[in-house]
């Protein structure tokens, strides 16, 4: 049996333009599936019930929290596009590749899957253990495509902290899920239809 040597592993930076659409989607769905599985396992290890965490609230107050924060975040994001140089907010072109030619229904599906999977892990599981500050640091780190510039990294951290804040104050995981979904949907639609025009 041949021995595996870790020293032989070579990490090469991938150019987003080399990704095929199929590979990009496969990567997205696999990472979101892993995010969901890790979140569910983490919650179960905390001796909590994931179904209880995802219970739909009886009142609609969570919608106001989610839409309110989404509105604030979209306004700040809009202002940043005019204040900050475009190259400082560059994500390497991943979002353009992901949403640029995607049909509307698929943008909605992607936004919903990402919002539910990431919020279940980060707000539902990690924040319960570490609190909103350290959760937001981890959230910023996994959005590695933004780490080349401090402004988008800081913005991802603040966005995550805001999601943690509305989770605490609304008492429902659906508040950050709604906010995350609206942000991703709006961003995806902007990329899709700005590119089309």
């Amino acid at each position: 049996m041949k021995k595996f040597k870790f020293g032989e592993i070579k990490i090469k930076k991938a150019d987003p333009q080399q990704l095929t659409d199929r590979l990009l989607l496969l990567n997205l769905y696999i990472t979101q599936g892993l995010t969901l599985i890790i979140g569910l396992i983490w919650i179960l290890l905390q001796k909590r019930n994931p179904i209880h965490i995802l219970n739909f609230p009886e009142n609609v107050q969570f919608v106001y929290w989610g839409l309110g924060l989404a509105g604030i975040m979209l306004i700040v994001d809009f202002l940043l596009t005019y204040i900050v140089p475009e190259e400082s907010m560059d994500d390497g072109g991943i979002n353009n590749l992901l949403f640029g030619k995607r049909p509307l229904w698929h943008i909605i599906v992607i936004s919903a899957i990402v919002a539910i999977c990431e919020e279940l892990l980060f707000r539902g599981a990690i924040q319960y253990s570490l609190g909103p500050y350290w959760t937001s640091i981890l959230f910023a780190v996994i959005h590695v495509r933004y780490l080349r510039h401090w402004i988008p990294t800081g913005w991802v951290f603040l966005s995550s902290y805001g999601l943690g804040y509305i989770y605490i104050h609304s008492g429902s995981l659906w508040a950050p899920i709604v906010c995350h979904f609206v942000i991703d949907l709006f961003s995806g639609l902007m990329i899709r239809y700005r590119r089309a025009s």
Side-chain angles (χ1 to χ4, degrees), residues 122-139:
F122 285 94
R123 256 47 68 184
I126 297 175
Q127 183 168 311
Y128 184 83
S129 297
L130 303 179
Y133 177 77
W134 289 106
T135 300
S136 298
I137 288 177
L138 284 174
F139 192 76

Side-chain angles (χ1 to χ4, degrees), residues 182-197:
V182 169
I183 295 294
D184 286 356
L185 178 64
F186 188 83
S187 300
L189 292 175
M190 288 294 291
I191 290 168
R192 171 69 176 91
Y193 292 106
R194 181 181 61 211
R195 189 170 179 154
S197 63

Side-chain angles (χ1 to χ4, degrees), residues 36-195:
L36 179 64
I37 291 166
I38 292 167
L40 290 171
I41 291 170
W42 196 321
I43 289 167
L44 290 170
L45 289 173
Q46 294 168 338
K47 296 182 171 49
R48 295 162 65 221
N49 186 342
I51 295 170
H52 177 69
I53 292 169
L54 286 169
N55 273 348
F56 218 68
E58 292 178 10
N59 63 32
V60 294
Q61 186 180 14
F62 74 96
V63 175
Y64 304 135
W65 281 101
L67 292 179
L69 181 60
I72 291 168
M73 289 168 66
L74 288 169
I75 290 167
V76 171
D77 198 48
F78 178 76
L79 293 173
L80 283 174
T81 60
Y82 285 98
I83 297 169
V84 178
E86 190 176 338
E87 62 272 4
S88 295
M89 298 297 282
D90 182 29
D91 71 341
I94 297 291
N95 286 340
N96 281 332
L97 287 173
L98 187 59
F99 295 116
K101 296 177 183 173
R102 201 77 48 216
L104 175 61
W105 69 267
H106 205 169
I107 293 172
I108 293 169
V109 168
I110 289 171
S111 300
I113 288 172
V114 169
I116 292 168
C117 294
E118 289 187 4
E119 292 310 313
L120 185 70
L121 174 61
F122 285 94
R123 256 47 68 184
I126 297 175
Q127 183 168 311
Y128 184 83
S129 297
L130 303 179
Y133 177 77
W134 289 106
T135 300
S136 298
I137 288 177
L138 284 174
F139 192 76
V141 167
I142 68 133
H143 287 79
V144 68
R145 64 187 186 267
Y146 296 111
L147 291 178
R148 292 177 296 147
H149 304 291
W150 68 271
I151 294 173
T153 302
W155 179 232
V156 170
F157 171 84
L158 288 174
S159 300
S160 175
Y161 200 85
L163 291 166
Y165 178 86
I166 66 170
Y167 176 42
I168 291 167
H169 288 280
S170 70
S172 171
L173 188 62
W174 285 100
I177 288 172
V178 165
C179 181
H180 199 146
F181 171 75
V182 169
I183 295 294
D184 286 356
L185 178 64
F186 188 83
S187 300
L189 292 175
M190 288 294 291
I191 290 168
R192 171 69 176 91
Y193 292 106
R194 181 181 61 211
R195 189 170 179 154

